[in-house]
Amino acid sequence: MGFIASVKRRAANFYYPLKIKRRAMVCGKKIYCGSKSFVTSKTQLGNNVNFNGMAMSGNGVIKIGDNFHSGPGCQIISSFHNYNGKKIPYDETWIDKDVIIEDNVWLGNNVIILGGVTIGEGAIIQAGSVVCKDIPPLAIAGGHPATPFKYRDKEHYENLKKEKKFK
C-alpha cells in the first residue's frame, strides 16, 4: 500500500466513524469504517459494527445489531416514492419503511436492502443481492430478490456465539 493510500485509509478510519457517531440516533461501542459510509438520523447501531462503504437513505428507522459486517458498495434504502399517489408515475409523498438487521449479519459487496425487511440473526447475504423480503436467521441468501439457498450449521454457530468468538 502506498503512502497516500495509507493516509487516506487512516483518515477514513477516524473521520467516518466520528461522523456516524454524531449522526446516528443510537451508536454502540466500536464502529469501524474501511471507507466512505453514511447513516441517517434514524439509524440505531449495535456494538462492533463494521462498514466498508455503506450508504443509508430514507426516513424509516434502520436498526443494525451487534457484530455486523458489510462489504463495499452496500446500500439501505428506507423511503420510496408513492406510486399510488395523485400523479403518475409517482407524486411528492414518500412511503417510509423500517429495516431491522439482527446480530452477527454479514453483507457481501454491493448488497441493496430495501425498507420493510428484517434480516435474521447470523444471516449472510451474497454479494450483489437485493433484499426486498425477510431473510430468516442463519440463512445464506442471494439473488434478485435475495432468497435463502443454504443455512449455517446451527450447532457450530451457537458454540462460537457461546464462546464469544466475534470478529
Side-chain angles (χ1 to χ4, degrees):
M1 180 185 304
F3 176 74
I4 292 174
S6 175
V7 170
K8 284 183 178 180
R9 180 169 291 268
R10 282 196 305 267
N13 290 341
F14 174 78
Y15 176 71
Y16 289 107
L18 183 63
K19 192 173 179 179
I20 285 169
K21 288 175 185 177
R22 288 183 178 163
R23 178 121 171 108
M25 180 190 304
V26 175
C27 193
K29 297 175 186 170
K30 194 179 173 212
I31 304 298
Y32 170 84
C33 294
S35 64
K36 259 186 201 179
S37 296
F38 304 96
V39 299
T40 70
S41 61
K42 292 186 177 181
T43 302
Q44 301 173 20
L45 302 173
N47 298 312
N48 191 31
V49 171
N50 298 267
F51 297 133
N52 287 299
M54 170 65 77
M56 296 181 201
S57 63
N59 292 314
V61 173
I62 299 170
K63 295 181 184 179
I64 296 178
D66 296 341
N67 309 308
F68 171 84
H69 285 258
S70 72
C74 292
Q75 297 181 56
I76 299 175
I77 304 167
S78 66
S79 291
F80 307 94
H81 292 288
N82 184 3
Y83 59 84
N84 281 326
K86 297 177 182 175
K87 294 180 184 174
I88 297 173
Y90 54 85
D91 67 13
E92 296 81 12
T93 61
W94 292 87
I95 299 167
D96 303 323
K97 295 184 177 184
D98 299 341
V99 172
I100 298 169
I101 300 174
E102 296 179 350
D103 293 346
N104 310 315
V105 170
W106 172 23
L107 306 180
N109 297 6
N110 301 309
V111 170
I112 299 173
I113 300 170
L114 301 179
V117 303
T118 296
I119 299 177
E121 179 182 343
I124 299 170
I125 309 299
Q126 184 179 43
S129 298
V130 178
V131 181
C132 57
K133 56 186 176 182
D134 293 350
I135 303 296
L138 305 179
I140 301 172
H144 308 152
T147 54
F149 59 85
K150 191 175 180 179
Y151 286 84
R152 296 176 86 158
D153 179 313
K154 185 175 182 174
E155 184 179 336
H156 179 69
Y157 175 86
E158 292 297 335
N159 286 336
L160 291 173
K161 186 175 161 183
K162 187 172 137 184
E163 295 170 12
K164 299 186 187 299
K165 293 198 175 180
F166 303 111
K167 181 173 166 80

